[in-house]
Amino acid sequence: MKRARETTATAVDTVVVLDYGSQYTQLIARRVRELGAYSVLLPGDATMERIASHAPKAIVLSGGPNSVHAEGAPSVPKEFFAHVEERKIPVRGICYGMQLLVHALGGVVESGG
C-alpha cells in the first residue's frame, strides 16, 4: 500500500481520512479541506496512537479494492471503536470503509445480485 504524506497542524477541526487504496482518497481529503476542515491522510493500517495524535473531529474510512471476506483484509486498530465511541467521534465509511464498519460491528456484508 502506498504511504500517504502526513503533516502536523494546529487546526481546530481535523478530519482523519484512512486510505484503504481507493482512487478517490485524495479527492475525499480535498473535499474535506474545501469544507473548511484540515484533513490528514493516513494509511489504513495506521495505529490508533497515530490516528488519535491528530485529535480528529471526524474520521473517514475510504474505499478500496478489498473485501471484508478476503483473508487478511485490512481493518482498523482493535481499540478503534472504543476510542471513537468514548470521544463521540463521527465515522463515515465509503465503499470498502462501509463494508469494514458493518462487518466489524456485527452486521452482514453480502454480494449483490
Side-chain angles (χ1 to χ4, degrees):
M1 178 181 283
K2 186 175 165 183
R3 295 286 174 190
R5 270 196 320 207
E6 181 178 349
T7 59
T8 304
T10 58
V12 174
D13 293 326
T14 299
V15 176
V16 168
V17 180
L18 295 179
D19 181 5
Y20 289 98
S22 169
Q23 61 187 352
Y24 296 105
T25 303
Q26 294 285 340
L27 177 61
I28 294 166
R30 187 177 90 206
R31 294 289 189 227
V32 167
R33 288 190 301 275
E34 288 173 353
L35 292 170
Y38 176 71
S39 64
V40 176
L41 187 55
L42 298 176
D45 62 356
T47 64
M48 194 64 241
E49 179 179 70
R50 188 171 176 196
I51 296 167
S53 73
H54 296 283
K57 297 285 185 180
I59 299 173
V60 177
L61 308 180
S62 78
N66 303 293
S67 167
V68 293
H69 299 298
E71 190 165 328
S75 190
V76 291
K78 63 180 170 137
E79 60 275 9
F80 180 83
F81 293 105
H83 181 86
V84 298
E85 184 176 354
E86 179 182 308
R87 288 163 181 79
K88 299 186 181 349
I89 300 170
V91 177
R92 162 127 354 204
I94 299 173
C95 195
Y96 176 75
M98 179 56 78
Q99 282 188 36
L100 180 56
L101 289 173
V102 170
H103 185 72
L105 295 171
V108 177
V109 177
E110 296 177 334
S111 297

